[in-house]
Amino acid sequence: MSPPSTSAAREPAKKTPAKRAAKKTPAKPRKATRKKPKWLVGPTPQDILSPANFRPEPKAPEAPSICDTTRLKHVIANPALYEVAAAVFPPKARKGPGRPAHYPAYIYLIYLAAIAIYDSSRHTQSTFQEPDMWKIVRAEIRSFLGDEEADALPDTGPSLHQWNDFYRKKLRPAVHEFREASRDVWIRQAIAHGLLSEKRKRGDWLRPHRSQTINGDGTVVRPPSDQTEEFTDDEKTGERRRHRVDHDAGIQMEGGDRTVYGKKIVSFSVRQEARCHSRFILNADSARHRSPEEDPERDEEASAALRLAHEILDRAPGVIAASFDTAWRGKHRAPLIRRGLIVFTRQHDGINPHPLAKYQCKCKKKCECQYEKCTHDVYAAVGRSCERQITVDGKTIYNPLPVRELIARYGKKGWRFYHQIEIPCRNRPHTELIPVYETEDDSAIDPRTKRKRFNRTEHLRQIPPGTHYGDRLLGFREDSESSNSSLDYSHRDRRVPMYGAEGALLGYLGYAWVNNSIALATAATP
């Protein structure tokens, strides 16, 4: 006789909350949805920021593809590469202790750049050790450095073991010196070919020329492996396996709403107008190796980008404008504005309108006329000065005020920028001057909050987004996105084959040398 059935035997055991939580798979990161503000914004007026005769930028022709061998030839023909190799890795004297180097340092710098051409160091080794390809390398070096230097090279290119030895002992310890030397020659070459030129100003404050505008962006470089644990145990066999872990990699933010595992690289570039293969990468460095929880405002990326922009300005005074993403806040834009730059970024989400001033119309004549007193509440909203009004439905609307002139003045503490706005009035329109830089009153510390009284550069822009000239500068950032995409596809599986933050930076510098060498060769051709 079978035992009587019980409720415990009939029903499955209930899962505890802890077990249910343990079996849940991690949710995929969702795209952040923008909350609709409770206030309205009026139409963009027709003014100097959105003129009626505005013409967009001409489209550049489609860039022709360049084969890998031609790219390598452009790298070898770049004279700045040999200058940097001699400055960072000076050759040792032939006499003395120690075995002389098998290859000069510039060969390994060419090898570093070739990794971005042939997508991996192993593929680069097989290419350099191919007799026909090595003959091409020696022929290019012969035409540039002469017969004596070319004949002194070995019969085959460096092996993977020789490259790794130079990378560990020489290149990686000198990554910062190599970055700084590369930055200096890149900026010098860009100026020599008409970019960032102070003598040939072809733009103005409102419409800076493309060759005088630097565009910056941050990208996440994926490590060779996504392993986060050095040792793992096989559940079936119990075997313990050891993995190579990139300790500098972490969860990074990309695009403002996407989490990617890797290392952050920040760079700035400039290019010619309507000319393909003319982009020069000017400066680059690694930034922010912390998680979004530890650094939610991305201060490391923003401060690194600010430092790179200052380094460019110190060497290229012809820069008129700079564009970056929303990682730059008001505190990052303010010092660049003082240096005379037009700084463009999109408006950060979550910024509420802030009162600027209250203007009251008054009759200047002492007479009993029909001049009505009228008050205008001017607020900072959507990056520009707006008049606050209440609709018949009780809703708040901010009408952008027309900007009639962008005024720039230079003083002891740097440049000052103003918007000369026009306030429509039923009596008569009148103009006011609104500062769009950080004034002394703004930077004064409020004794109650222990903060600045007003973060003006956070709420106001010299060229606000949503205008014709603002959309024009926003379109310049496509160069940065294109450059980051080319970096990913230049390496196998879109992973830079180097571990650590210094390795990721070296991989980017090698890619930049290829990019700039192509731009240099293209600029030399009519």
mmCIF file with all atom_site columns, all heavy atoms in Angstrom, residues 17-39:
data_model
loop_
_atom_site.group_PDB
_atom_site.id
_atom_site.type_symbol
_atom_site.label_atom_id
_atom_site.label_alt_id
_atom_site.label_comp_id
_atom_site.label_asym_id
_atom_site.label_entity_id
_atom_site.label_seq_id
_atom_site.pdbx_PDB_ins_code
_atom_site.Cartn_x
_atom_site.Cartn_y
_atom_site.Cartn_z
_atom_site.occupancy
_atom_site.B_iso_or_equiv
_atom_site.pdbx_formal_charge
_atom_site.auth_seq_id
_atom_site.auth_comp_id
_atom_site.auth_asym_id
_atom_site.auth_atom_id
_atom_site.pdbx_PDB_model_num
ATOM 1   N N   . PRO A 1 17 ? 13.600 33.922 -1.351  1.00 0.00 ? 17 PRO A N   1
ATOM 2   C CA  . PRO A 1 17 ? 14.005 35.125 -2.106  1.00 0.00 ? 17 PRO A CA  1
ATOM 3   C C   . PRO A 1 17 ? 15.473 35.142 -2.449  1.00 0.00 ? 17 PRO A C   1
ATOM 4   O O   . PRO A 1 17 ? 15.863 35.638 -3.501  1.00 0.00 ? 17 PRO A O   1
ATOM 5   C CB  . PRO A 1 17 ? 13.624 36.265 -1.149  1.00 0.00 ? 17 PRO A CB  1
ATOM 6   C CG  . PRO A 1 17 ? 12.546 35.696 -0.273  1.00 0.00 ? 17 PRO A CG  1
ATOM 7   C CD  . PRO A 1 17 ? 12.872 34.247 -0.134  1.00 0.00 ? 17 PRO A CD  1
ATOM 8   N N   . ALA A 1 18 ? 16.306 34.567 -1.564  1.00 0.00 ? 18 ALA A N   1
ATOM 9   C CA  . ALA A 1 18 ? 17.737 34.558 -1.851  1.00 0.00 ? 18 ALA A CA  1
ATOM 10  C C   . ALA A 1 18 ? 18.056 33.695 -3.065  1.00 0.00 ? 18 ALA A C   1
ATOM 11  O O   . ALA A 1 18 ? 18.878 34.038 -3.910  1.00 0.00 ? 18 ALA A O   1
ATOM 12  C CB  . ALA A 1 18 ? 18.517 34.059 -0.631  1.00 0.00 ? 18 ALA A CB  1
ATOM 13  N N   . LYS A 1 19 ? 17.359 32.491 -3.170  1.00 0.00 ? 19 LYS A N   1
ATOM 14  C CA  . LYS A 1 19 ? 17.615 31.618 -4.306  1.00 0.00 ? 19 LYS A CA  1
ATOM 15  C C   . LYS A 1 19 ? 17.105 32.238 -5.600  1.00 0.00 ? 19 LYS A C   1
ATOM 16  O O   . LYS A 1 19 ? 17.694 32.111 -6.652  1.00 0.00 ? 19 LYS A O   1
ATOM 17  C CB  . LYS A 1 19 ? 16.958 30.271 -4.066  1.00 0.00 ? 19 LYS A CB  1
ATOM 18  C CG  . LYS A 1 19 ? 17.633 29.450 -2.962  1.00 0.00 ? 19 LYS A CG  1
ATOM 19  C CD  . LYS A 1 19 ? 16.974 28.096 -2.836  1.00 0.00 ? 19 LYS A CD  1
ATOM 20  C CE  . LYS A 1 19 ? 17.666 27.264 -1.771  1.00 0.00 ? 19 LYS A CE  1
ATOM 21  N NZ  . LYS A 1 19 ? 17.038 25.929 -1.622  1.00 0.00 ? 19 LYS A NZ  1
ATOM 22  N N   . ARG A 1 20 ? 15.933 32.911 -5.507  1.00 0.00 ? 20 ARG A N   1
ATOM 23  C CA  . ARG A 1 20 ? 15.399 33.548 -6.714  1.00 0.00 ? 20 ARG A CA  1
ATOM 24  C C   . ARG A 1 20 ? 16.325 34.648 -7.206  1.00 0.00 ? 20 ARG A C   1
ATOM 25  O O   . ARG A 1 20 ? 16.544 34.822 -8.402  1.00 0.00 ? 20 ARG A O   1
ATOM 26  C CB  . ARG A 1 20 ? 14.003 34.106 -6.422  1.00 0.00 ? 20 ARG A CB  1
ATOM 27  C CG  . ARG A 1 20 ? 12.930 33.046 -6.300  1.00 0.00 ? 20 ARG A CG  1
ATOM 28  C CD  . ARG A 1 20 ? 11.568 33.683 -6.446  1.00 0.00 ? 20 ARG A CD  1
ATOM 29  N NE  . ARG A 1 20 ? 11.318 34.687 -5.412  1.00 0.00 ? 20 ARG A NE  1
ATOM 30  C CZ  . ARG A 1 20 ? 10.724 34.427 -4.265  1.00 0.00 ? 20 ARG A CZ  1
ATOM 31  N NH1 . ARG A 1 20 ? 10.310 33.203 -3.988  1.00 0.00 ? 20 ARG A NH1 1
ATOM 32  N NH2 . ARG A 1 20 ? 10.520 35.396 -3.384  1.00 0.00 ? 20 ARG A NH2 1
ATOM 33  N N   . ALA A 1 21 ? 16.899 35.403 -6.290  1.00 0.00 ? 21 ALA A N   1
ATOM 34  C CA  . ALA A 1 21 ? 17.803 36.480 -6.691  1.00 0.00 ? 21 ALA A CA  1
ATOM 35  C C   . ALA A 1 21 ? 19.097 35.932 -7.258  1.00 0.00 ? 21 ALA A C   1
ATOM 36  O O   . ALA A 1 21 ? 19.697 36.524 -8.141  1.00 0.00 ? 21 ALA A O   1
ATOM 37  C CB  . ALA A 1 21 ? 18.099 37.382 -5.493  1.00 0.00 ? 21 ALA A CB  1
ATOM 38  N N   . ALA A 1 22 ? 19.529 34.762 -6.739  1.00 0.00 ? 22 ALA A N   1
ATOM 39  C CA  . ALA A 1 22 ? 20.791 34.203 -7.213  1.00 0.00 ? 22 ALA A CA  1
ATOM 40  C C   . ALA A 1 22 ? 20.676 33.683 -8.629  1.00 0.00 ? 22 ALA A C   1
ATOM 41  O O   . ALA A 1 22 ? 21.647 33.686 -9.384  1.00 0.00 ? 22 ALA A O   1
ATOM 42  C CB  . ALA A 1 22 ? 21.251 33.094 -6.277  1.00 0.00 ? 22 ALA A CB  1
ATOM 43  N N   . LYS A 1 23 ? 19.468 33.201 -9.014  1.00 0.00 ? 23 LYS A N   1
ATOM 44  C CA  . LYS A 1 23 ? 19.305 32.623 -10.337 1.00 0.00 ? 23 LYS A CA  1
ATOM 45  C C   . LYS A 1 23 ? 18.965 33.650 -11.405 1.00 0.00 ? 23 LYS A C   1
ATOM 46  O O   . LYS A 1 23 ? 18.893 33.321 -12.577 1.00 0.00 ? 23 LYS A O   1
ATOM 47  C CB  . LYS A 1 23 ? 18.216 31.554 -10.297 1.00 0.00 ? 23 LYS A CB  1
ATOM 48  C CG  . LYS A 1 23 ? 18.636 30.305 -9.535  1.00 0.00 ? 23 LYS A CG  1
ATOM 49  C CD  . LYS A 1 23 ? 17.668 29.167 -9.789  1.00 0.00 ? 23 LYS A CD  1
ATOM 50  C CE  . LYS A 1 23 ? 18.169 27.882 -9.146  1.00 0.00 ? 23 LYS A CE  1
ATOM 51  N NZ  . LYS A 1 23 ? 17.302 26.745 -9.457  1.00 0.00 ? 23 LYS A NZ  1
ATOM 52  N N   . LYS A 1 24 ? 18.718 34.869 -10.992 1.00 0.00 ? 24 LYS A N   1
ATOM 53  C CA  . LYS A 1 24 ? 18.396 35.906 -11.971 1.00 0.00 ? 24 LYS A CA  1
ATOM 54  C C   . LYS A 1 24 ? 19.639 36.294 -12.751 1.00 0.00 ? 24 LYS A C   1
ATOM 55  O O   . LYS A 1 24 ? 20.706 36.506 -12.179 1.00 0.00 ? 24 LYS A O   1
ATOM 56  C CB  . LYS A 1 24 ? 17.823 37.141 -11.275 1.00 0.00 ? 24 LYS A CB  1
ATOM 57  C CG  . LYS A 1 24 ? 16.375 36.961 -10.840 1.00 0.00 ? 24 LYS A CG  1
ATOM 58  C CD  . LYS A 1 24 ? 15.846 38.263 -10.255 1.00 0.00 ? 24 LYS A CD  1
ATOM 59  C CE  . LYS A 1 24 ? 14.381 38.112 -9.862  1.00 0.00 ? 24 LYS A CE  1
ATOM 60  N NZ  . LYS A 1 24 ? 13.862 39.378 -9.281  1.00 0.00 ? 24 LYS A NZ  1
ATOM 61  N N   . THR A 1 25 ? 19.515 36.386 -14.030 1.00 0.00 ? 25 THR A N   1
ATOM 62  C CA  . THR A 1 25 ? 20.625 36.846 -14.859 1.00 0.00 ? 25 THR A CA  1
ATOM 63  C C   . THR A 1 25 ? 20.709 38.356 -14.781 1.00 0.00 ? 25 THR A C   1
ATOM 64  O O   . THR A 1 25 ? 19.686 39.038 -14.660 1.00 0.00 ? 25 THR A O   1
ATOM 65  C CB  . THR A 1 25 ? 20.407 36.425 -16.316 1.00 0.00 ? 25 THR A CB  1
ATOM 66  O OG1 . THR A 1 25 ? 19.156 36.937 -16.762 1.00 0.00 ? 25 THR A OG1 1
ATOM 67  C CG2 . THR A 1 25 ? 20.412 34.917 -16.430 1.00 0.00 ? 25 THR A CG2 1
ATOM 68  N N   . PRO A 1 26 ? 21.901 38.903 -14.841 1.00 0.00 ? 26 PRO A N   1
ATOM 69  C CA  . PRO A 1 26 ? 22.026 40.362 -14.770 1.00 0.00 ? 26 PRO A CA  1
ATOM 70  C C   . PRO A 1 26 ? 21.333 41.025 -15.940 1.00 0.00 ? 26 PRO A C   1
ATOM 71  O O   . PRO A 1 26 ? 21.461 40.608 -17.088 1.00 0.00 ? 26 PRO A O   1
ATOM 72  C CB  . PRO A 1 26 ? 23.547 40.590 -14.812 1.00 0.00 ? 26 PRO A CB  1
ATOM 73  C CG  . PRO A 1 26 ? 24.098 39.333 -15.392 1.00 0.00 ? 26 PRO A CG  1
ATOM 74  C CD  . PRO A 1 26 ? 23.186 38.233 -14.991 1.00 0.00 ? 26 PRO A CD  1
ATOM 75  N N   . ALA A 1 27 ? 20.576 42.044 -15.632 1.00 0.00 ? 27 ALA A N   1
ATOM 76  C CA  . ALA A 1 27 ? 19.818 42.739 -16.675 1.00 0.00 ? 27 ALA A CA  1
ATOM 77  C C   . ALA A 1 27 ? 20.749 43.542 -17.558 1.00 0.00 ? 27 ALA A C   1
ATOM 78  O O   . ALA A 1 27 ? 21.769 44.068 -17.118 1.00 0.00 ? 27 ALA A O   1
ATOM 79  C CB  . ALA A 1 27 ? 18.784 43.663 -16.027 1.00 0.00 ? 27 ALA A CB  1
ATOM 80  N N   . LYS A 1 28 ? 20.399 43.611 -18.828 1.00 0.00 ? 28 LYS A N   1
ATOM 81  C CA  . LYS A 1 28 ? 21.198 44.386 -19.761 1.00 0.00 ? 28 LYS A CA  1
ATOM 82  C C   . LYS A 1 28 ? 21.002 45.868 -19.496 1.00 0.00 ? 28 LYS A C   1
ATOM 83  O O   . LYS A 1 28 ? 19.902 46.306 -19.151 1.00 0.00 ? 28 LYS A O   1
ATOM 84  C CB  . LYS A 1 28 ? 20.788 44.068 -21.205 1.00 0.00 ? 28 LYS A CB  1
ATOM 85  C CG  . LYS A 1 28 ? 21.075 42.634 -21.604 1.00 0.00 ? 28 LYS A CG  1
ATOM 86  C CD  . LYS A 1 28 ? 20.679 42.403 -23.054 1.00 0.00 ? 28 LYS A CD  1
ATOM 87  C CE  . LYS A 1 28 ? 20.985 40.965 -23.464 1.00 0.00 ? 28 LYS A CE  1
ATOM 88  N NZ  . LYS A 1 28 ? 20.606 40.708 -24.876 1.00 0.00 ? 28 LYS A NZ  1
ATOM 89  N N   . PRO A 1 29 ? 22.066 46.647 -19.631 1.00 0.00 ? 29 PRO A N   1
ATOM 90  C CA  . PRO A 1 29 ? 21.917 48.087 -19.382 1.00 0.00 ? 29 PRO A CA  1
ATOM 91  C C   . PRO A 1 29 ? 20.964 48.719 -20.388 1.00 0.00 ? 29 PRO A C   1
ATOM 92  O O   . PRO A 1 29 ? 21.082 48.518 -21.591 1.00 0.00 ? 29 PRO A O   1
ATOM 93  C CB  . PRO A 1 29 ? 23.351 48.629 -19.554 1.00 0.00 ? 29 PRO A CB  1
ATOM 94  C CG  . PRO A 1 29 ? 24.051 47.597 -20.368 1.00 0.00 ? 29 PRO A CG  1
ATOM 95  C CD  . PRO A 1 29 ? 23.428 46.286 -20.037 1.00 0.00 ? 29 PRO A CD  1
ATOM 96  N N   . ARG A 1 30 ? 20.007 49.435 -19.877 1.00 0.00 ? 30 ARG A N   1
ATOM 97  C CA  . ARG A 1 30 ? 19.033 50.076 -20.727 1.00 0.00 ? 30 ARG A CA  1
ATOM 98  C C   . ARG A 1 30 ? 19.447 51.508 -21.034 1.00 0.00 ? 30 ARG A C   1
ATOM 99  O O   . ARG A 1 30 ? 20.130 52.145 -20.248 1.00 0.00 ? 30 ARG A O   1
ATOM 100 C CB  . ARG A 1 30 ? 17.651 50.083 -20.055 1.00 0.00 ? 30 ARG A CB  1
ATOM 101 C CG  . ARG A 1 30 ? 17.079 48.684 -19.852 1.00 0.00 ? 30 ARG A CG  1
ATOM 102 C CD  . ARG A 1 30 ? 15.704 48.773 -19.216 1.00 0.00 ? 30 ARG A CD  1
ATOM 103 N NE  . ARG A 1 30 ? 15.121 47.454 -19.030 1.00 0.00 ? 30 ARG A NE  1
ATOM 104 C CZ  . ARG A 1 30 ? 13.936 47.262 -18.463 1.00 0.00 ? 30 ARG A CZ  1
ATOM 105 N NH1 . ARG A 1 30 ? 13.220 48.282 -18.049 1.00 0.00 ? 30 ARG A NH1 1
ATOM 106 N NH2 . ARG A 1 30 ? 13.477 46.031 -18.334 1.00 0.00 ? 30 ARG A NH2 1
ATOM 107 N N   . LYS A 1 31 ? 19.005 51.944 -22.158 1.00 0.00 ? 31 LYS A N   1
ATOM 108 C CA  . LYS A 1 31 ? 19.313 53.312 -22.552 1.00 0.00 ? 31 LYS A CA  1
ATOM 109 C C   . LYS A 1 31 ? 18.529 54.273 -21.677 1.00 0.00 ? 31 LYS A C   1
ATOM 110 O O   . LYS A 1 31 ? 17.326 54.119 -21.464 1.00 0.00 ? 31 LYS A O   1
ATOM 111 C CB  . LYS A 1 31 ? 18.958 53.529 -24.017 1.00 0.00 ? 31 LYS A CB  1
ATOM 112 C CG  . LYS A 1 31 ? 19.430 54.861 -24.558 1.00 0.00 ? 31 LYS A CG  1
ATOM 113 C CD  . LYS A 1 31 ? 19.171 54.962 -26.054 1.00 0.00 ? 31 LYS A CD  1
ATOM 114 C CE  . LYS A 1 31 ? 19.695 56.277 -26.595 1.00 0.00 ? 31 LYS A CE  1
ATOM 115 N NZ  . LYS A 1 31 ? 19.476 56.393 -28.055 1.00 0.00 ? 31 LYS A NZ  1
ATOM 116 N N   . ALA A 1 32 ? 19.248 55.260 -21.165 1.00 0.00 ? 32 ALA A N   1
ATOM 117 C CA  . ALA A 1 32 ? 18.613 56.217 -20.268 1.00 0.00 ? 32 ALA A CA  1
ATOM 118 C C   . ALA A 1 32 ? 17.573 57.037 -21.023 1.00 0.00 ? 32 ALA A C   1
ATOM 119 O O   . ALA A 1 32 ? 17.837 57.565 -22.097 1.00 0.00 ? 32 ALA A O   1
ATOM 120 C CB  . ALA A 1 32 ? 19.668 57.138 -19.645 1.00 0.00 ? 32 ALA A CB  1
ATOM 121 N N   . THR A 1 33 ? 16.372 57.102 -20.444 1.00 0.00 ? 33 THR A N   1
ATOM 122 C CA  . THR A 1 33 ? 15.308 57.882 -21.053 1.00 0.00 ? 33 THR A CA  1
ATOM 123 C C   . THR A 1 33 ? 15.284 59.274 -20.455 1.00 0.00 ? 33 THR A C   1
ATOM 124 O O   . THR A 1 33 ? 15.377 59.444 -19.237 1.00 0.00 ? 33 THR A O   1
ATOM 125 C CB  . THR A 1 33 ? 13.956 57.189 -20.825 1.00 0.00 ? 33 THR A CB  1
ATOM 126 O OG1 . THR A 1 33 ? 13.760 57.014 -19.410 1.00 0.00 ? 33 THR A OG1 1
ATOM 127 C CG2 . THR A 1 33 ? 13.923 55.833 -21.506 1.00 0.00 ? 33 THR A CG2 1
ATOM 128 N N   . ARG A 1 34 ? 15.171 60.256 -21.311 1.00 0.00 ? 34 ARG A N   1
ATOM 129 C CA  . ARG A 1 34 ? 15.139 61.629 -20.853 1.00 0.00 ? 34 ARG A CA  1
ATOM 130 C C   . ARG A 1 34 ? 13.756 61.975 -20.308 1.00 0.00 ? 34 ARG A C   1
ATOM 131 O O   . ARG A 1 34 ? 12.749 61.708 -20.939 1.00 0.00 ? 34 ARG A O   1
ATOM 132 C CB  . ARG A 1 34 ? 15.506 62.577 -21.994 1.00 0.00 ? 34 ARG A CB  1
ATOM 133 C CG  . ARG A 1 34 ? 16.927 62.389 -22.523 1.00 0.00 ? 34 ARG A CG  1
ATOM 134 C CD  . ARG A 1 34 ? 17.230 63.420 -23.577 1.00 0.00 ? 34 ARG A CD  1
ATOM 135 N NE  . ARG A 1 34 ? 18.590 63.279 -24.073 1.00 0.00 ? 34 ARG A NE  1
ATOM 136 C CZ  . ARG A 1 34 ? 19.125 64.077 -24.995 1.00 0.00 ? 34 ARG A CZ  1
ATOM 137 N NH1 . ARG A 1 34 ? 18.421 65.053 -25.530 1.00 0.00 ? 34 ARG A NH1 1
ATOM 138 N NH2 . ARG A 1 34 ? 20.379 63.885 -25.382 1.00 0.00 ? 34 ARG A NH2 1
ATOM 139 N N   . LYS A 1 35 ? 13.744 62.557 -19.149 1.00 0.00 ? 35 LYS A N   1
ATOM 140 C CA  . LYS A 1 35 ? 12.496 62.985 -18.561 1.00 0.00 ? 35 LYS A CA  1
ATOM 141 C C   . LYS A 1 35 ? 12.058 64.296 -19.202 1.00 0.00 ? 35 LYS A C   1
ATOM 142 O O   . LYS A 1 35 ? 12.858 65.210 -19.385 1.00 0.00 ? 35 LYS A O   1
ATOM 143 C CB  . LYS A 1 35 ? 12.663 63.175 -17.045 1.00 0.00 ? 35 LYS A CB  1
ATOM 144 C CG  . LYS A 1 35 ? 12.962 61.882 -16.301 1.00 0.00 ? 35 LYS A CG  1
ATOM 145 C CD  . LYS A 1 35 ? 13.058 62.147 -14.809 1.00 0.00 ? 35 LYS A CD  1
ATOM 146 C CE  . LYS A 1 35 ? 13.345 60.847 -14.047 1.00 0.00 ? 35 LYS A CE  1
ATOM 147 N NZ  . LYS A 1 35 ? 13.448 61.089 -12.588 1.00 0.00 ? 35 LYS A NZ  1
ATOM 148 N N   . LYS A 1 36 ? 10.784 64.354 -19.518 1.00 0.00 ? 36 LYS A N   1
ATOM 149 C CA  . LYS A 1 36 ? 10.255 65.566 -20.121 1.00 0.00 ? 36 LYS A CA  1
ATOM 150 C C   . LYS A 1 36 ? 10.164 66.664 -19.070 1.00 0.00 ? 36 LYS A C   1
ATOM 151 O O   . LYS A 1 36 ? 9.630  66.446 -17.977 1.00 0.00 ? 36 LYS A O   1
ATOM 152 C CB  . LYS A 1 36 ? 8.878  65.298 -20.718 1.00 0.00 ? 36 LYS A CB  1
ATOM 153 C CG  . LYS A 1 36 ? 8.907  64.349 -21.908 1.00 0.00 ? 36 LYS A CG  1
ATOM 154 C CD  . LYS A 1 36 ? 7.514  64.199 -22.497 1.00 0.00 ? 36 LYS A CD  1
ATOM 155 C CE  . LYS A 1 36 ? 7.556  63.271 -23.710 1.00 0.00 ? 36 LYS A CE  1
ATOM 156 N NZ  . LYS A 1 36 ? 6.193  63.114 -24.312 1.00 0.00 ? 36 LYS A NZ  1
ATOM 157 N N   . PRO A 1 37 ? 10.707 67.842 -19.355 1.00 0.00 ? 37 PRO A N   1
ATOM 158 C CA  . PRO A 1 37 ? 10.626 68.917 -18.362 1.00 0.00 ? 37 PRO A CA  1
ATOM 159 C C   . PRO A 1 37 ? 9.190  69.401 -18.193 1.00 0.00 ? 37 PRO A C   1
ATOM 160 O O   . PRO A 1 37 ? 8.336  69.229 -19.067 1.00 0.00 ? 37 PRO A O   1
ATOM 161 C CB  . PRO A 1 37 ? 11.522 70.003 -18.970 1.00 0.00 ? 37 PRO A CB  1
ATOM 162 C CG  . PRO A 1 37 ? 11.518 69.738 -20.435 1.00 0.00 ? 37 PRO A CG  1
ATOM 163 C CD  . PRO A 1 37 ? 11.401 68.248 -20.588 1.00 0.00 ? 37 PRO A CD  1
ATOM 164 N N   . LYS A 1 38 ? 8.937  70.002 -17.058 1.00 0.00 ? 38 LYS A N   1
ATOM 165 C CA  . LYS A 1 38 ? 7.603  70.515 -16.757 1.00 0.00 ? 38 LYS A CA  1
ATOM 166 C C   . LYS A 1 38 ? 7.366  71.885 -17.380 1.00 0.00 ? 38 LYS A C   1
ATOM 167 O O   . LYS A 1 38 ? 6.287  72.453 -17.215 1.00 0.00 ? 38 LYS A O   1
ATOM 168 C CB  . LYS A 1 38 ? 7.413  70.584 -15.233 1.00 0.00 ? 38 LYS A CB  1
ATOM 169 C CG  . LYS A 1 38 ? 7.511  69.231 -14.551 1.00 0.00 ? 38 LYS A CG  1
ATOM 170 C CD  . LYS A 1 38 ? 7.327  69.379 -13.052 1.00 0.00 ? 38 LYS A CD  1
ATOM 171 C CE  . LYS A 1 38 ? 7.441  68.015 -12.364 1.00 0.00 ? 38 LYS A CE  1
ATOM 172 N NZ  . LYS A 1 38 ? 7.274  68.124 -10.887 1.00 0.00 ? 38 LYS A NZ  1
ATOM 173 N N   . TRP A 1 39 ? 8.349  72.417 -18.061 1.00 0.00 ? 39 TRP A N   1
ATOM 174 C CA  . TRP A 1 39 ? 8.221  73.737 -18.672 1.00 0.00 ? 39 TRP A CA  1
ATOM 175 C C   . TRP A 1 39 ? 8.417  73.626 -20.174 1.00 0.00 ? 39 TRP A C   1
ATOM 176 O O   . TRP A 1 39 ? 8.945  72.632 -20.668 1.00 0.00 ? 39 TRP A O   1
ATOM 177 C CB  . TRP A 1 39 ? 9.241  74.712 -18.086 1.00 0.00 ? 39 TRP A CB  1
ATOM 178 C CG  . TRP A 1 39 ? 10.552 74.079 -17.734 1.00 0.00 ? 39 TRP A CG  1
ATOM 179 C CD1 . TRP A 1 39 ? 10.894 73.498 -16.552 1.00 0.00 ? 39 TRP A CD1 1
ATOM 180 C CD2 . TRP A 1 39 ? 11.699 73.950 -18.584 1.00 0.00 ? 39 TRP A CD2 1
ATOM 181 N NE1 . TRP A 1 39 ? 12.178 73.001 -16.606 1.00 0.00 ? 39 TRP A NE1 1
ATOM 182 C CE2 . TRP A 1 39 ? 12.702 73.272 -17.846 1.00 0.00 ? 39 TRP A CE2 1
ATOM 183 C CE3 . TRP A 1 39 ? 11.982 74.340 -19.886 1.00 0.00 ? 39 TRP A CE3 1
ATOM 184 C CZ2 . TRP A 1 39 ? 13.946 72.982 -18.363 1.00 0.00 ? 39 TRP A CZ2 1
ATOM 185 C CZ3 . TRP A 1 39 ? 13.235 74.055 -20.405 1.00 0.00 ? 39 TRP A CZ3 1
ATOM 186 C CH2 . TRP A 1 39 ? 14.198 73.389 -19.640 1.00 0.00 ? 39 TRP A CH2 1
#
